[in-house]
Amino acid sequence: MLGQSGDELLDLAIAEPDEAWSVAHAVIAGEADVTALSYAHQTLGIVLRERGDVDLALTHLRVARRCAERASDEDRLADVRATLGGTLAVRGRTAAGLRELDAAVSGARARGPVRPKAQLRRANVLAMAGHHDRALTDLRDAVRGFRRSGDQLWEARALNLRAFVRILRGEFADATGDLHEAESLFRPGDQPFEVLDVRHNLALISFFEGDVPATLSAMTELASAYAELGDPHLELTLDRARVLLVAGLAQEAVDVIESAPTWAQSRPRARAELLVMRAAARLGAGQPEQALEDARASRRLFLRQDRAWWCTRADVVALQARIELGRGSRRAAVALADSLADDATEDAVLAHLLAGRELARTDPAAASAYLSRAAAGRHRGSPLSRATAWLARALELEVGGRPRVLDAVGRGLDALAEHRASLGSPELRALTALHGSDLATLAVRHALPRGPRALVRWSDRARAASLSQPVPAPQDAVIDGLLATIRGLSHRITDEEDPAELQVLVRERAQHERTVRLAWAATPGAGGRDTSVTDGELVAHLGDRVLVQLVDVDGTLHAVVVRDGRWRRIEVGASARAAKAVDAAMYGLRTATRGRPVDLAVLGRRLETALLGDAARLLPAGRPVVVSPPAALLAAPWGLLPVLLDRPVALTPSATAWVRAASAEPRSARAVFVVGPDLPTGGGEVAPVVRMHDGAALLADHSATVAAALAALDGAALGHIAAHGSFRAETPMFSSLHLADGAMTVDDVHRLAHPPHRIVLPACRSGVVAQVGGQDMIGFAAALLGQGTAGVLASIADVDDAATVAVMLDVHAALVAGRRLDEALRDARLAAGSDPVRLATAVAFVALGAA
């Protein structure tokens, strides 16, 4: 056959498909015998299948089967039928494919070279259908057959497939051994796709063992390598989406699925897998209706393809979506869990957890049994899977009315902390809170009866955990270049007046931002363990200050007041009422800063009742107060409350974060002022304020670039950035302050080796954060606190420019006199007197931290 054997031509179909295509067509065009024709049509079938044209591939493979039947060679016929069976399965005709494969295995010579190949192909279809035990039996026999014949290439293929099946069964050590052996047998120059497939499987093991950054990094490299070979590789698309979803980047997972190659839609098997993965991603992105629609559509396809294992996976996503929509079914949950009774996958754990939760209210005994099965894996697996299993254990103990619920919750939170420590992305660290929200709810529910100390201690375990240690930005020239491009685009977006061009610029910026975020996501964490403040440390650092820690317990707000070593808990009222009062106060505040008449005193009294209730009576007159609220209440106008208006008030994401800030010391005495472009006041407060601070540095006009500002602010005792700001709710990591050459983002904050000890940010909404999972947060001010800044003064609303100048002058006069930020802000509120705009502006600023 043009200088090549038939088996060599088949190998070429995978390694060099274009060359194989040409040779096969040349054979068909010549005067070949039926054996050669069977090889040629089989080769074309393989190439077409891999290119996505499955129907035409089946046509050639049926011609190859007829030629092989005429050749009267049982091994030739068996080999063609094995390829035909695998391709039928790709087309979604699993039962028909397995019939061909069964015939291929039984028809091949017992100790000939084809039988193990047919067994390998049957194993692939069995694994695809979820029959993992039968697949492993075939693969065990196939490996033995290839070793007996000395066929190292096919032995490597069998080992690689066996590793994949073992990964699905959670047998990672055995899978790793198979993959390393396969890698040693493949020849990279001759089998580039298959070498990449081994590395893909190794990346999957990293994922299932909990190393998300390493997995994302490996998959990014694999995507580039496959692209160089001209292969979009559908399986990698699916796996990247799964990893992004677990990392908390659900919308990015949806985007990856929707960017899958168009030919995948013509393959029922591929389409079904894409649909079920998109269903899971949409569920994570808060789109349960669309998720349910995708899950149902994928199930219909899986059912037609005889893929019961995959049907069950679709059922798991559908059940979650129905529960989220308030349409859960105890009967469906129990049936699904029972169908997975012998399954050791994470889907089975989740199904048993869902069944247990659905039964908890009506049948605690039955619920306990399902939760016990879900909790069985709490001592093994990745940190996230262990956290889920410990949640199940805590719920099992709760429904059974048994003690030690908090012990199980603590173990679950420890597992989440282990996962968070592996992450080098601030965004992913915060998104870990999504996995821990149920544990946090259980923690405070069971801490409540144990007293105020326990309530503070356990509420603190989950709060703002992403800010527990500084996270440096990755040192990468490509990322640096992308950030410079983003800054330039942000600058152009600000100036662009053409709506069509503006949309183009925004899309381009979003694409670059996504690349930067994914690069960060692939950055490993520094490890280490989170530590919470002890009761004694907290009391010692408070001194004459009073702590008010607000905790939401099952929809009711509780206040713990710590004063002079004494701890008291007060039930405040409904959390929903507090949220409504904050919304009303913020609306009134915005109205007042625009100069419209608003009775701020009335708003303040209503807000005080909703946020503090009777706890307000426990605050001695004049004593400074530290408020540690839930993330949703951090950006409330606390200075508007009558009991807090005339005293220093500092806010903190958690008691632990406040003690860390109170323990920090400045690294210098330097003061640095930065003035961005196009300010209505021209940074009017800066010139007189700079004169207040001896030796202060000033960056203004063209010298106020991002790089220059970062260099000057690093290690400063005090920073002040007068610049326009923007809070990006959809991508809070790119919330920014606008300097001479573009945006200084949250990303840039992480490039500071030593952030300023204290910093003042007069920009509108510079103190607003995006809350994550009700416990954590992402934003400019939050990033500064996490990186080590001890005090941040920032705004939580749009503010009046002229009034802001007056407030800033009052603040800096107090700072020069040696006062803390919370004391300086108190002075500014008092200085506002009866001026409603100036008072509303002062109240729109908050002091975060302890300095």
Side-chain angles (χ1 to χ4, degrees):
M1 276 193 305
L2 302 180
Q4 289 172 316
S5 70
D7 287 335
E8 288 173 338
L9 182 57
L10 293 177
D11 289 340
L12 207 59
I14 298 296
E16 295 291 344
D18 291 338
E19 184 179 346
W21 178 270
S22 299
V23 172
H25 275 292
V27 170
I28 293 170
E31 298 181 359
D33 59 26
V34 289
T35 299
L37 286 172
S38 75
Y39 275 112
H41 283 287
Q42 185 181 4
T43 297
L44 292 177
I46 293 170
V47 173
L48 286 164
R49 181 190 67 201
E50 296 305 305
R51 288 177 176 175
D53 194 344
V54 181
D55 290 331
L56 187 54
L58 288 171
T59 299
H60 279 283
L61 290 171
R62 290 186 178 110
V63 173
R65 182 177 60 184
R66 291 196 294 271
C67 292
E69 288 170 343
R70 291 167 55 198
S72 301
D73 182 336
E74 57 188 1
D75 271 0
R76 178 87 285 268
L77 176 60
D79 192 54
V80 172
R81 297 192 80 167
T83 302
L84 175 59
T87 307
L88 283 166
V90 169
R91 188 66 182 85
R93 299 178 57 194
T94 306
L98 284 172
R99 286 194 295 272
E100 288 288 339
L101 286 157
D102 289 343
V105 172
S106 61
R109 288 186 293 118
R111 298 181 69 83
V114 172
R115 174 168 284 188
K117 294 180 181 178
Q119 288 173 316
L120 182 150
R121 289 166 176 155
R122 184 169 68 180
N124 187 41
V125 175
L126 288 168
M128 190 190 308
H131 304 303
H132 301 146
D133 290 342
R134 291 171 59 192
L136 284 177
T137 299
D138 266 352
L139 288 165
R140 178 195 62 206
D141 294 342
V143 169
R144 289 174 180 169
F146 293 133
R147 284 175 177 166
R148 185 170 55 245
S149 65
D151 191 333
Q152 291 190 339
L153 174 60
W154 280 90
E155 180 188 349
R157 289 170 175 164
L159 288 167
N160 189 32
L161 179 57
R162 187 169 74 179
F164 178 70
V165 177
R166 284 175 161 169
I167 289 170
L168 294 179
R169 288 163 56 95
E171 300 167 357
F172 303 131
D174 290 337
T176 301
D178 280 348
L179 290 170
H180 287 313
E181 188 174 356
E183 196 169 28
S184 70
L185 295 173
F186 279 131
R187 299 184 299 275
D190 296 333
Q191 290 94 33
F193 289 102
E194 292 173 300
V195 169
L196 290 178
D197 200 36
V198 169
R199 294 174 185 166
H200 185 170
N201 284 335
L202 286 168
L204 281 180
I205 291 175
S206 291
F207 169 61
F208 285 117
E209 289 181 339
D211 194 342
V212 171
T215 308
L216 286 172
S217 178
M219 288 186 172
T220 300
E221 293 176 6
L222 284 165
S224 298
Y226 280 124
E228 287 179 9
L229 294 173
D231 182 6
H233 208 72
L234 178 66
E235 287 76 13
L236 184 63
T237 297
L238 290 164
D239 289 333
R240 288 184 77 188
R242 183 189 308 177
V243 178
L244 289 169
L245 180 58
V246 167
L249 300 173
Q251 188 55 53
E252 284 71 15
V254 173
D255 294 342
V256 165
I257 290 295
E258 293 183 343
S259 68
T262 53
W263 56 257
Q265 300 301 323
S266 66
R267 292 189 183 183
R269 178 181 73 88
R271 176 168 168 72
E273 292 179 16
L274 285 168
L275 277 171
V276 75
M277 188 67 246
R278 189 173 70 177
R282 281 179 159 175
L283 187 66
Q287 304 163 11
E289 284 284 7
Q290 297 95 319
L292 183 58
E293 182 181 337
D294 279 349
R296 286 171 171 166
S298 68
R299 192 187 197 283
R300 289 192 294 269
L301 289 171
F302 288 135
L303 198 59
R304 288 201 292 269
Q305 297 164 20
D306 298 315
R307 300 172 71 186
W309 187 84
W310 282 95
C311 281
T312 304
R313 268 65 205 166
D315 287 340
V316 171
V317 181
L319 177 60
Q320 289 177 276
R322 286 199 298 272
I323 290 172
E324 195 161 319
L325 290 166
R327 307 203 297 262
S329 163
R330 288 189 293 275
R331 182 179 298 176
V334 167
L336 180 58
D338 288 345
S339 73
L340 291 167
D342 299 322
D343 195 314
T345 64
E346 292 186 7
D347 277 337
V349 173
L350 181 56
H352 284 92
L353 177 59
L354 293 172
R357 300 188 83 158
E358 288 294 291
L359 288 166
R361 291 186 298 276
T362 58
D363 191 347
S368 183
Y370 286 100
L371 292 168
S372 178
R373 289 178 208 163
R378 60 190 181 274
H379 297 294
R380 64 176 184 271
S382 70
L384 283 181
S385 65
R386 295 201 311 275
T388 301
W390 277 112
L391 171 63
R393 175 61 174 165
L395 290 169
E396 177 195 358
L397 294 170
E398 182 182 59
V399 299
R402 295 153 63 189
R404 306 183 70 83
V405 173
L406 285 174
D407 288 347
V409 169
R411 296 290 293 274
L413 292 173
D414 287 343
L416 280 179
E418 182 183 341
H419 170 69
R420 188 168 47 248
S422 73
L423 304 173
S425 161
E427 183 176 20
L428 264 58
R429 286 171 60 82
L431 289 170
T432 301
L434 296 172
H435 298 284
S437 58
D438 288 335
L439 286 166
T441 297
L442 280 173
V444 295
R445 179 187 302 159
H446 288 271
L448 182 63
R450 295 192 174 199
R453 293 172 186 262
L455 191 55
V456 169
R457 190 180 315 120
W458 281 98
S459 63
D460 241 43
R461 284 289 305 271
R463 281 190 179 180
S466 69
L467 309 181
S468 61
Q469 56 183 308
V471 179
Q475 300 301 309
D476 186 306
V478 174
I479 294 179
D480 292 346
L482 285 171
L483 288 171
T485 301
I486 290 168
R487 274 194 285 274
L489 287 168
S490 296
H491 210 58
R492 291 171 62 190
I493 287 169
T494 302
D495 297 335
E496 184 57 58
E497 296 180 357
D498 181 355
E501 182 61 22
L502 181 63
Q503 286 188 348
V504 171
L505 293 173
V506 169
R507 282 197 299 269
E508 185 179 352
R509 183 179 69 175
Q511 181 179 353
H512 290 312
E513 288 174 348
R514 180 174 177 272
T515 302
V516 171
R517 291 169 65 216
L518 292 180
W520 261 58
T523 304
R529 292 181 61 85
D530 294 346
T531 56
S532 296
V533 64
T534 66
D535 299 348
E537 288 172 332
L538 178 57
V539 170
H541 278 88
L542 283 172
D544 71 332
R545 286 181 272 204
V546 181
L547 172 72
V548 180
Q549 180 128 330
L550 294 170
V551 184
D552 182 337
V553 182
D554 295 325
T556 298
L557 199 61
H558 296 259
V560 176
V561 179
V562 184
R563 185 186 75 192
D564 301 325
R566 295 190 298 274
W567 303 61
R568 287 192 59 185
R569 178 187 63 82
I570 301 292
E571 183 175 318
V572 176
S575 299
R577 184 184 66 162
K580 288 181 180 178
V582 170
D583 287 343
M586 292 300 293
Y587 177 79
L589 203 62
R590 287 192 294 271
T591 303
T593 58
R594 297 187 183 108
R596 298 170 187 167
V598 175
D599 193 333
L600 293 178
V602 171
L603 285 177
R605 287 194 296 272
R606 290 173 181 169
L607 192 60
E608 182 176 302
T609 300
L611 293 180
L612 294 182
D614 289 341
R617 300 176 185 174
L618 301 180
L619 305 181
R623 294 271 292 272
V625 171
V626 177
V627 180
S628 175
L633 301 178
L634 193 65
W638 290 93
L640 189 60
L641 278 60
V643 73
L644 301 179
L645 182 65
D646 61 353
R647 72 172 81 220
V649 183
L651 300 181
T652 179
S654 68
T656 298
W658 185 83
V659 169
R660 191 165 52 244
S663 304
E665 295 289 342
R667 303 179 68 89
S668 73
R670 291 189 296 112
V672 176
F673 291 81
V674 181
V675 182
D678 304 323
L679 294 174
T681 63
E685 83 277 12
V686 174
V689 163
V690 168
R691 290 194 292 270
M692 295 182 190
H693 296 270
D694 292 338
L698 173 63
L699 298 178
D701 300 323
H702 296 298
S703 66
T705 63
V706 172
L710 291 174
L713 291 167
D714 207 306
L718 174 66
H720 179 117
I721 306 178
H724 285 298
S726 61
F727 174 69
R728 303 270 300 280
E730 74 287 359
T731 51
M733 282 295 293
F734 287 95
S735 296
S736 60
L737 300 173
H738 302 291
L739 301 186
D741 60 341
M744 174 191 283
T745 66
V746 174
D747 179 285
D748 291 308
V749 171
H750 290 269
R751 295 175 184 276
L752 291 165
H754 304 290
H757 183 66
R758 296 191 291 190
I759 191 164
V760 177
L761 304 173
C764 293
R765 307 182 74 213
S766 55
V768 176
V769 296
Q771 59 166 311
V772 182
Q775 301 293 331
D776 223 314
M777 60 201 68
I778 307 172
F780 208 92
L784 284 162
L785 291 174
Q787 291 302 99
T789 293
V792 179
L793 194 147
S795 70
I796 55 171
D798 293 336
V799 290
D800 178 81
D801 294 312
T804 297
V805 171
V807 169
M808 290 298 105
L809 290 170
D810 293 334
V811 164
H812 279 280
L815 293 179
V816 170
R819 295 189 178 90
R820 300 187 307 263
L821 286 174
D822 59 334
E823 294 170 323
L825 192 54
R826 181 269 319 272
D827 291 355
R829 289 195 298 269
L830 294 178
S834 59
D835 183 337
V837 174
R838 185 168 167 183
L839 177 59
T841 300
V843 169
F845 283 92
V846 294
L848 298 158

